[in-house]
Amino acid sequence: MAAAGAAALTLTAGLATPLNPAPQQAAAADSGKKTLTVAVAQSVDSLSPFLAVRLVSTSINRLMYEYLTDYDPKDAHPVPGLATGWKPSADKLTWTYTIRKNAKWSDGRPVTADDAAWTYTKMMTDQGAATANGSYVSNFKQVTAPSPTKLVITLKKPQSTMEAIDVPIVPRHIWEKVKDFTKFNNDQTFPIVGDGPFVVTDYKADSYVKLKANKTFWRGAPKFDELVFKYYKDNDAAVAALQKGEVSFVQNLTPTQATKLRTTPDIKVNDAPGRRFYALATNPGARAKDGTKFGNGDPSLLDERVRHALFLAIDRKTLIDKVFQGHAVDGEGYIPPRFSTYYWKPSADQAMGYDPAKAAALLDQAGYKKNSAGKRVGKNGKPLNYRILCHATDPQDKAVGKYLKEWYGRLGIGLTVDCLDNVTDPWLAGEYDLAFDGWSVNPDPDFVLSIHTCAALPATPKDTGATDNFICDKKYDDLYAKQLAEYDPAKRADLVKQMESRLYDTGYMNVMAYPNAMEAYRSDQIKSITTMPEKSGNIYGQDGYWSWWSAVPANATGSSGGSGSTGVVIGVVVAVVVLAGAGGFFLLRRRSTADDRE
C-alpha cells in the first residue's frame, strides 16, 4: 500500500434525546461510558481469525487485529496498516515491508515483524491455521523478520495481491501456545490481546460480543468507549430495538422496514449500492481433494443444461421489483458493479434472461420430460424435486423461495424451501440441492475467486475446506493462477472477467441480484460516521474498521454514551451482513443471504 489517506466523516445527523434507553445503556451514560450497540442478524462462528468466515466474525477480527495494509475508505486504494511501506524486488518475487514502530498489543508488548512472520508461517505449515485465509499464503515460499521493523516475504511465483493480504496479524506470544488451531476459538480468556482499534472484553455465543476502545491504537482511540454487537434472530425485533433506542444501528433492512424508519424521528436510513451479490448456488456434487464424494445432492444438477434451465426460469426483474422493491440491481457477473474495474456482463448471445420456454426445452433435451401429471421425471421415473437451503433469519430468502417454487412448479419441478437457523452444517456436508448464496466482495477480488478453485476443497470429507460450494473446474483454475500472477492491472482485470464468464457459463453460481446496503442508525446517539466508499457507501461490513472507529457520539448523555476521544480517519472496513455459514453464504467470509463475508 501507499500513503494513508484521510477520510471525511459523512452522514452527519442532528442531536436529540434518546427514546427509552435500555438499562445497560442508561448505566453506561450514568458512568460516562459512551456505548455504541450494533444489532446483527448473524451469530459469530469463531473469534479465531484462523477459522472465522462469517461476515460478523471477520468484521470483528478487523477491529481486534491490524493487517499489513488497509483500504482507504474514500476509494479503496491500499494504505498503510501495520506496515508503513513496502517494496518488491526487481523480479517481484521478494517483498519487503517496513513495520511501524509505535504499534503495541493491548497487553503493552510491542508489535513486531516477528508477529507477522509467525502468523504467515503458521498458516503455511499448519493446515488448521489455514482454514479461513490459506489462499493468501499458498504461494509464499518463506517469510522472515530480519529485524523488529522489517518483514520479508519470498514468493514461489509472482502474486498480484501483495498489497492486499487480508489476513489479521496475531500476537505470537499468545498464539504460539495454541495446540490445535482447528479447535481453538479464541473465546475463553478476556480481554483478548489485540492491536486493533477495539479490544474484545466479553462474548456469549448467539448473544453478544463486547469490545472496549483501544486507547493506545496507533491511529488514535475510537470516540466510543464501548462497542457491542448484539445478535437478533428476528430482524423485526432488531428494528424495534432501534426505534426504542436500545441499539444504535441496524443492518440488513427490508425495503418496508427502511421506508417506515425514514419517517421515524432521530433515525437516519442509509441506502447505498452494496458490495455483495445474491445468488442461486447449485450443488455440483460435494467432493474432497482426496477424490471422495459425499453429500446427497441431486445428480441431475451435474448436467449443465439442467442448471441453465433453473436460471432461465428465474424472472430477475420481478425479484428486483417485488422482493427488493427496487433497492437492488439485476444480477449478472460474479463481481458487483460497485467494483467497476472487475465488473463483467455477459454478451447478448451469452446472457441467460428470463425464458421459461427455453428452460423447458433444455430440460427435455437433458431427458427430464413431463409425465401425465405434469412432473419432470428422469430415466429412473422419479420426479425432480429439489431442496433449497434458506436462511431462517433472512426475509429475502423466504420471499424469493416462494417465487422460485412457483416458477419451477410451472416447469414441472418440485421445490422444498428449507429455511434453517443453521445452514452451515448441511452445506458443508453437501446435503442440499440448491442454496441461496452471497458474498461481500473485497476491492481486490482474489478471495471470492479463490473459493471456487479445486485447492479450496476440503482435504477429506471430515475436514472443513475453503470452498464455497465444491466447484472444481480446470479451466477456471488455470485462469485463477494466471490472474494471481499478473501485475498489469488491465491484463489482470481481463483475466478476472474471463473467470466470471466461466462461472456464468457453467451455471453452478447464478447471480440474481446485487442488493443495496440498507441500514439505519440513531442520529441522537451517533452524530457522524464514515461510509465506504465515502460517497454513497455502506456502514456495516466495510473493507476495514473505519465506520466504528470513526463514529462520533451525538452528545454526552445519549443512550449509547456521550462524547469521545479524538482520532484520525484513515482506512477501510471489510465484509458484510446476515446469518452466514461456513460454506455457502456462510463460510469463508461467507454467505448469508444478507451479507456475508468479505
Side-chain angles (χ1 to χ4, degrees):
M1 309 203 162
L9 294 178
T10 59
L11 298 179
T12 301
L15 306 181
T17 302
L19 300 174
N20 305 319
Q24 173 190 346
Q25 296 169 319
D30 291 341
S31 65
K33 181 187 294 184
K34 299 167 288 296
T35 300
L36 192 164
T37 303
V38 178
V40 295
Q42 182 181 47
S43 60
V44 170
D45 55 343
S46 178
L47 289 177
S48 165
F50 298 100
L51 299 178
V53 293
R54 294 182 182 175
L55 178 61
V56 66
S57 308
T58 56
S59 295
I60 291 173
N61 276 327
R62 281 190 176 270
L63 299 172
M64 299 166 63
Y65 304 106
E66 182 65 283
Y67 293 23
L68 276 186
T69 58
D70 293 315
Y71 298 105
D72 186 274
K74 184 176 181 178
D75 59 9
H77 75 273
V79 295
L82 184 57
T84 59
W86 46 92
K87 184 179 180 179
S89 58
D91 62 5
K92 295 187 177 181
L93 291 178
T94 300
W95 286 72
T96 302
Y97 300 81
T98 300
I99 304 301
R100 65 179 60 256
K101 299 177 181 179
N102 61 331
K104 291 185 177 181
W105 296 111
S106 54
D107 61 1
R109 297 182 60 163
V111 181
T112 70
D114 183 61
D115 292 302
W118 184 88
T119 298
Y120 294 141
T121 301
K122 174 56 66 172
M123 294 171 61
M124 294 161 59
T125 57
D126 187 323
Q127 184 174 319
T131 298
N133 300 299
S135 63
Y136 286 109
V137 302
S138 61
N139 183 46
F140 287 10
K141 182 177 181 180
Q142 184 182 45
V143 184
T144 59
S147 76
T149 59
K150 185 177 182 180
L151 177 73
V152 179
I153 300 178
T154 304
L155 305 174
K156 300 173 185 176
K157 55 186 177 182
Q159 181 169 323
S160 59
T161 60
M162 295 308 289
E163 293 184 351
I165 305 174
D166 292 333
V167 174
I169 303 301
V170 302
R172 176 176 181 172
H173 65 283
I174 299 296
W175 285 83
E176 64 183 355
K177 303 172 186 176
V178 176
K179 302 295 184 183
D180 187 344
F181 279 75
T182 65
K183 298 179 180 179
F184 183 72
N185 283 308
N186 198 26
D187 58 3
Q188 298 299 311
T189 302
F190 300 99
I192 297 175
V193 177
D195 63 341
F198 288 91
V199 177
V200 174
T201 59
D202 194 13
Y203 163 68
K204 183 177 180 180
D206 300 322
S207 183
Y208 63 80
V209 179
K210 293 183 180 180
L211 306 93
K212 68 177 181 180
N214 182 358
K215 301 300 183 182
T216 63
F217 184 50
W218 69 270
R219 284 194 199 274
K223 298 167 182 63
F224 276 93
D225 299 304
E226 185 176 54
L227 177 62
V228 179
F229 289 87
K230 188 174 181 180
Y231 172 61
Y232 284 86
K233 182 178 178 180
D234 181 83
N235 199 243
D236 286 332
V239 170
L242 180 74
Q243 293 173 313
K244 295 176 183 178
E246 295 173 352
V247 301
S248 312
F249 177 92
V250 172
Q251 47 88 32
N252 194 41
L253 297 173
T254 65
T256 300
Q257 291 170 334
T259 298
K260 181 178 181 180
L261 289 175
R262 282 192 177 92
T263 61
T264 304
D266 301 323
I267 290 180
K268 174 72 175 181
V269 173
N270 186 42
D271 184 357
R275 51 184 288 245
R276 173 183 165 271
F277 63 80
Y278 183 73
L280 173 71
T282 63
N283 187 339
R287 50 184 158 169
K289 289 180 183 177
D290 65 4
T292 304
K293 296 180 179 180
F294 57 96
N296 56 13
D298 195 300
S300 64
L301 295 172
L302 299 179
D303 191 319
E304 186 176 286
R305 294 169 296 184
V306 174
R307 299 194 297 272
H308 283 181
L310 294 177
F311 195 39
L312 288 164
I314 298 175
D315 184 350
R316 301 198 298 278
K317 185 179 186 304
T318 292
L319 298 183
I320 300 296
D321 294 341
K322 300 299 184 180
V323 178
F324 295 97
Q325 296 180 32
H327 299 275
V329 177
D330 188 9
E332 294 174 309
Y334 193 66
I335 307 297
R338 167 168 160 175
F339 303 102
S340 58
T341 300
Y342 302 107
Y343 177 56
W344 170 86
K345 297 180 64 172
S347 64
D349 294 338
Q350 184 182 20
M352 290 183 281
Y354 180 51
D355 194 338
K358 186 174 181 180
L362 284 176
L363 290 171
D364 286 341
Q365 293 173 20
Y368 297 95
K369 297 184 178 182
K370 285 186 176 181
N371 61 14
S372 58
K375 304 296 183 181
R376 294 278 175 182
V377 296
K379 295 179 180 179
N380 58 7
K382 292 184 178 180
L384 288 182
N385 285 295
Y386 296 133
R387 304 153 296 165
I388 184 167
L389 283 176
C390 157
H391 300 80
T393 57
D394 196 325
Q396 292 174 347
D397 275 11
K398 297 176 183 177
V400 174
K402 291 181 179 179
Y403 279 105
L404 293 187
K405 190 168 186 175
E406 176 185 345
W407 293 331
Y408 290 168
R410 294 174 187 171
L411 281 177
I413 297 173
L415 182 67
T416 300
V417 183
D418 292 330
C419 291
L420 308 173
D421 291 334
N422 175 16
V423 295
T424 301
D425 289 347
W427 197 307
L428 292 178
E431 296 174 352
Y432 66 97
D433 301 317
L434 309 172
F436 291 113
D437 195 3
W439 284 81
S440 294
V441 178
N442 294 334
D444 189 296
D446 180 74
F447 179 82
V448 291
L449 297 174
S450 73
I451 60 179
H452 296 306
T453 61
C454 299
L457 294 174
T460 72
K462 294 182 179 180
D463 295 306
T464 298
T467 185
D468 182 29
N469 64 319
F470 306 101
I471 295 174
C472 180
D473 176 74
K474 186 179 185 303
K475 289 184 179 180
Y476 180 88
D477 273 20
D478 289 344
L479 289 168
Y480 176 78
K482 290 179 181 178
Q483 69 81 30
L484 184 61
E486 182 56 69
Y487 284 105
D488 182 279
K491 292 180 179 179
R492 185 183 179 218
D494 180 66
L495 289 167
V496 169
K497 291 176 182 178
Q498 290 182 50
M499 295 176 70
E500 294 182 76
S501 178
R502 181 62 181 172
L503 277 179
Y504 187 89
D505 288 343
T506 56
Y508 292 119
M509 287 289 299
N510 300 297
V511 177
M512 296 182 285
Y514 309 112
N516 284 6
M518 299 182 68
E519 49 200 7
Y521 68 93
R522 292 203 63 91
S523 57
D524 55 356
Q525 296 180 14
I526 302 175
K527 180 181 180 180
S528 62
I529 193 167
T530 297
T531 58
M532 183 179 183
E534 193 174 273
K535 294 181 179 180
S536 302
N538 55 290
I539 297 173
Y540 183 82
Q542 296 178 356
D543 295 288
Y545 42 64
W546 311 120
S547 53
W548 313 124
W549 174 69
S550 71
V552 177
N555 53 47
T557 59
S559 62
S560 285
S563 61
S565 56
T566 60
V568 183
V569 179
I570 308 173
V572 154
V573 176
V574 40
V576 30
V577 77
V578 217
L579 180 66
F585 214 155
F586 337 106
L587 253 166
L588 292 172
R589 292 135 140 131
R590 231 194 254 282
R591 45 171 107 95
S592 170
T593 76
D595 289 298
D596 212 55
R597 175 168 156 155
E598 328 176 287

Coordinates of all heavy atoms in Angstrom, one line a residue, residues 13 63 67 70 153 184 194 203-204 260 262 280 321 323 397 403-404 565 598:
A13 N -25.7 13.7 11.5 CA -27.1 13.8 11.9 C -27.2 14.8 13.1 O -26.3 15.3 13.7 CB -27.6 12.5 12.4
L63 N -11.5 -5.4 13.8 CA -11.5 -4.4 14.9 C -10.4 -4.9 16.0 O -9.9 -4.0 16.7 CB -12.8 -4.3 15.6 CG -14.0 -3.8 14.7 CD1 -15.3 -4.0 15.4 CD2 -13.7 -2.4 14.3
Y67 N -4.0 -5.4 10.0 CA -3.5 -6.1 8.8 C -2.2 -5.3 8.4 O -2.0 -4.2 8.8 CB -4.5 -6.1 7.7 CG -5.8 -6.9 7.9 CD1 -6.2 -7.2 9.2 CD2 -6.5 -7.3 6.8 CE1 -7.4 -7.9 9.3 CE2 -7.7 -8.1 7.0 CZ -8.1 -8.4 8.2 OH -9.3 -9.1 8.4
D70 N -4.3 -1.6 4.7 CA -5.7 -1.4 4.8 C -6.2 -0.8 3.5 O -5.4 -0.5 2.6 CB -6.1 -0.4 6.0 CG -5.8 -1.0 7.3 OD1 -6.1 -2.2 7.5 OD2 -5.2 -0.3 8.2
I153 N 8.9 -11.3 2.6 CA 8.1 -12.4 2.1 C 8.7 -12.8 0.7 O 8.7 -12.0 -0.2 CB 6.6 -12.0 2.0 CG1 6.0 -11.6 3.3 CG2 5.8 -13.2 1.4 CD1 4.6 -11.2 3.3
F184 N -9.4 -24.2 18.5 CA -9.3 -23.0 19.4 C -10.1 -21.9 18.8 O -9.7 -21.4 17.8 CB -7.8 -22.7 19.5 CG -7.5 -21.5 20.4 CD1 -7.7 -21.7 21.8 CD2 -7.2 -20.3 19.9 CE1 -7.4 -20.6 22.7 CE2 -6.9 -19.2 20.8 CZ -7.1 -19.4 22.2
G194 N -5.0 -7.9 21.5 CA -5.0 -7.5 20.1 C -4.3 -6.1 19.9 O -3.9 -5.5 20.9
Y203 N -17.9 -12.2 25.6 CA -18.6 -12.8 24.5 C -19.5 -13.9 25.0 O -19.1 -14.7 25.9 CB -17.5 -13.4 23.5 CG -18.1 -14.5 22.5 CD1 -19.0 -14.1 21.5 CD2 -17.8 -15.8 22.6 CE1 -19.5 -15.0 20.6 CE2 -18.3 -16.7 21.7 CZ -19.2 -16.3 20.7 OH -19.7 -17.3 19.9
K204 N -20.7 -13.9 24.4 CA -21.6 -15.0 24.7 C -22.2 -15.5 23.4 O -22.7 -14.7 22.6 CB -22.8 -14.5 25.6 CG -23.7 -15.6 26.0 CD -24.8 -15.1 27.0 CE -25.8 -16.2 27.4 NZ -26.9 -15.7 28.3
K260 N -40.4 2.7 6.6 CA -41.0 3.1 7.8 C -40.0 3.9 8.7 O -40.4 4.9 9.3 CB -41.5 1.8 8.6 CG -42.1 2.2 9.9 CD -42.6 0.9 10.6 CE -43.3 1.2 12.0 NZ -43.8 0.0 12.6
R262 N -37.7 5.8 7.7 CA -37.3 7.1 7.2 C -38.2 8.2 7.8 O -37.8 9.4 7.8 CB -37.5 7.1 5.7 CG -36.4 6.5 4.9 CD -36.5 6.7 3.4 NE -35.4 6.2 2.7 CZ -35.3 4.9 2.2 NH1 -36.4 4.2 2.3 NH2 -34.3 4.5 1.5
L280 N -28.1 -17.9 -6.7 CA -28.6 -19.3 -6.5 C -27.4 -20.2 -6.8 O -26.9 -20.2 -7.9 CB -29.7 -19.5 -7.6 CG -30.2 -21.0 -7.6 CD1 -31.1 -21.3 -6.4 CD2 -31.1 -21.2 -8.9
D321 N -38.1 -5.9 -8.4 CA -39.2 -5.1 -8.2 C -40.1 -5.5 -7.0 O -40.5 -4.6 -6.2 CB -40.2 -5.1 -9.4 CG -39.5 -4.4 -10.7 OD1 -38.5 -3.7 -10.5 OD2 -40.0 -4.7 -11.8
V323 N -39.4 -8.2 -4.5 CA -38.7 -8.6 -3.3 C -37.8 -7.5 -2.7 O -37.9 -7.1 -1.6 CB -37.9 -9.9 -3.5 CG1 -37.1 -10.2 -2.2 CG2 -38.8 -11.0 -3.9
D397 N -34.7 -14.4 1.5 CA -34.6 -15.8 1.1 C -36.0 -16.4 1.1 O -36.4 -17.1 0.1 CB -33.8 -16.6 2.2 CG -32.3 -16.6 1.9 OD1 -31.9 -15.8 1.1 OD2 -31.6 -17.3 2.6
Y403 N -41.3 -17.4 -4.9 CA -41.3 -17.2 -6.4 C -40.7 -18.4 -7.1 O -41.2 -18.9 -8.1 CB -40.5 -15.9 -6.7 CG -41.4 -14.7 -6.5 CD1 -41.1 -13.8 -5.5 CD2 -42.4 -14.3 -7.4 CE1 -41.9 -12.6 -5.3 CE2 -43.1 -13.2 -7.3 CZ -42.9 -12.3 -6.2 OH -43.6 -11.2 -6.0
L404 N -39.5 -18.9 -6.6 CA -38.9 -20.0 -7.2 C -39.8 -21.2 -7.2 O -39.8 -22.0 -8.2 CB -37.5 -20.3 -6.5 CG -36.4 -19.3 -6.6 CD1 -35.1 -19.8 -6.0 CD2 -36.2 -18.8 -8.1
S565 N -13.1 10.4 22.6 CA -11.7 10.8 22.4 C -11.5 11.2 20.9 O -12.3 10.9 20.1 CB -10.8 9.7 22.8 OG -11.0 8.5 22.1
E598 N -16.6 -11.0 3.6 CA -15.8 -10.3 2.6 C -15.6 -11.1 1.4 O -15.5 -12.2 1.3 CB -14.5 -10.1 3.2 CG -14.6 -10.0 4.6 CD -13.4 -9.9 5.4 OE1 -12.7 -10.7 5.6 OE2 -13.2 -8.8 5.8

